[in-house]
Amino acid sequence: MDDRTLVNTGMAYSEKTIETADEVIQALLAALSGKTSEKQNHVLESFARYAKIGGGLHVTQFGIDHLKDFEPAAKANGLTYYAVRDMKNDKVSVIIRDCDIQLLTQMTRQMAEKGSPLYKDPQLYVAEFLDKYEGRDIVFSRVESLEKIKEAKGDAADKGMEFAVGRQQDNSYIVMYLKENYKELVELGIADGARNPSALLGSINIQEVKQIVRQKRENQGVERGKEKEKRYSR
């Protein structure tokens, strides 16, 4: 059994945070430890100690070609991780402690800002999402936490599930997505599982929303252009 199969076997039941199921985690770490270098073993041992005190593990996947950018970024941010390469599908699975999820999220944002994103952002602009999925069964849920959505983007991207976040007049937020993705997005913390999603078509005029969003973005572009002109004319 290779490293990839071990990870998939140990983690298949949860692609986000793995709650502490000691037998599974300890068996997974023990199996991997026989296949790694001394430095990697040190990481696995720290994971095992963390699991014994009630910690969980988190796994995320991205294209193997991004590993060269990920490794120095992880070192600079002090992120402890274990990477398993899958040469068959050009992906790498990265295991971290669940207490480091926020650090990983911040790190991936930094990488994206520097032009080295780990994955294509699954969060589309509202107008873009509505254009792309027009005619499909689009639903929406209230957003409980924008931070949770940011943290779950990597997993949503890995599953190929796109969504859009819109702000309402009362400054609250909703997340729009395909109804077929509801259960999995609930598991990721993107959709609200406490209540059933609402159908978007029965609530708003999609064409009107798209027009409003486009106009707002065009106005923002004009304002940015004016600001640039002011700066250059000084």
Side-chain angles (χ1 to χ4, degrees):
M1 186 179 291
D2 61 17
D3 289 5
R4 178 178 62 85
T5 306
L6 284 167
V7 171
N8 288 344
T9 300
M11 299 185 172
Y13 64 91
S14 174
E15 288 191 60
K16 51 173 189 170
T17 302
I18 303 170
E19 301 301 336
T20 305
D22 270 341
E23 303 82 4
V24 175
I25 291 178
Q26 298 297 341
L28 168 67
L29 298 177
L32 289 173
S33 66
K35 299 171 173 288
T36 59
S37 66
E38 184 176 343
K39 182 179 178 181
Q40 290 172 313
N41 271 332
H42 178 70
V43 171
L44 293 173
E45 287 167 4
S46 73
F47 285 173
R49 290 193 297 271
Y50 181 66
K52 281 183 178 178
I53 62 172
L57 300 180
H58 179 89
V59 62
T60 189
Q61 275 197 336
F62 51 82
I64 199 168
D65 54 321
H66 296 298
L67 189 58
K68 65 182 185 300
D69 297 315
F70 178 86
E71 289 175 334
K75 184 176 181 180
N77 283 272
L79 178 68
T80 300
Y81 70 94
Y82 181 89
V84 180
R85 301 186 184 198
D86 182 354
M87 305 303 288
K88 294 179 181 178
N89 63 9
D90 294 327
K91 294 254 186 175
V92 60
S93 296
V94 169
I95 308 169
I96 64 170
R97 297 171 299 181
D98 59 1
C99 64
D100 288 331
I101 293 175
Q102 187 172 2
L103 175 60
L104 175 64
T105 301
Q106 292 172 349
M107 195 180 91
T108 54
R109 282 185 212 156
Q110 293 169 1
M111 292 178 68
E113 288 169 0
K114 293 177 180 178
S116 303
L118 286 180
Y119 49 80
K120 182 183 176 184
D121 194 342
Q123 182 178 334
L124 307 180
Y125 289 111
V126 171
E128 182 184 4
F129 180 84
L130 295 177
D131 270 336
K132 184 171 183 177
Y133 294 105
E134 188 170 0
R136 302 280 295 276
D137 197 355
I138 300 174
V139 295
F140 72 92
S141 299
R142 298 281 181 179
V143 170
E144 299 299 323
S145 169
L146 288 174
E147 221 29 63
K148 279 187 178 180
I149 289 178
K150 291 175 184 176
E151 291 174 0
K153 279 187 179 184
D155 292 320
D158 186 48
K159 290 175 177 289
M161 296 180 179
E162 295 178 321
F163 59 90
V165 175
R167 186 166 66 179
Q168 302 192 104
Q169 290 183 342
D170 61 0
N171 287 325
S172 63
Y173 291 87
I174 60 171
V175 58
M176 306 172 193
Y177 50 91
L178 294 179
K179 186 176 182 180
E180 64 199 56
N181 296 334
Y182 171 64
K183 288 184 179 179
E184 289 188 274
L185 291 179
V186 166
E187 290 176 4
L188 295 180
I190 292 176
D192 180 10
R195 63 192 73 178
N196 290 326
S198 302
L200 195 65
L201 282 173
S203 306
I204 60 172
N205 183 314
I206 289 185
Q207 295 301 324
E208 183 180 344
V209 170
K210 288 196 290 187
Q211 181 58 38
I212 291 172
V213 171
R214 287 197 190 97
Q215 188 61 54
K216 185 176 180 181
R217 289 171 64 187
E218 287 173 6
N219 291 342
Q220 289 173 340
V222 170
E223 288 302 316
R224 283 195 291 268
K226 289 180 179 177
E227 287 298 320
K228 285 183 180 179
E229 288 178 8
K230 287 180 182 178
R231 286 198 296 269
Y232 291 138
S233 62
R234 287 172 186 170

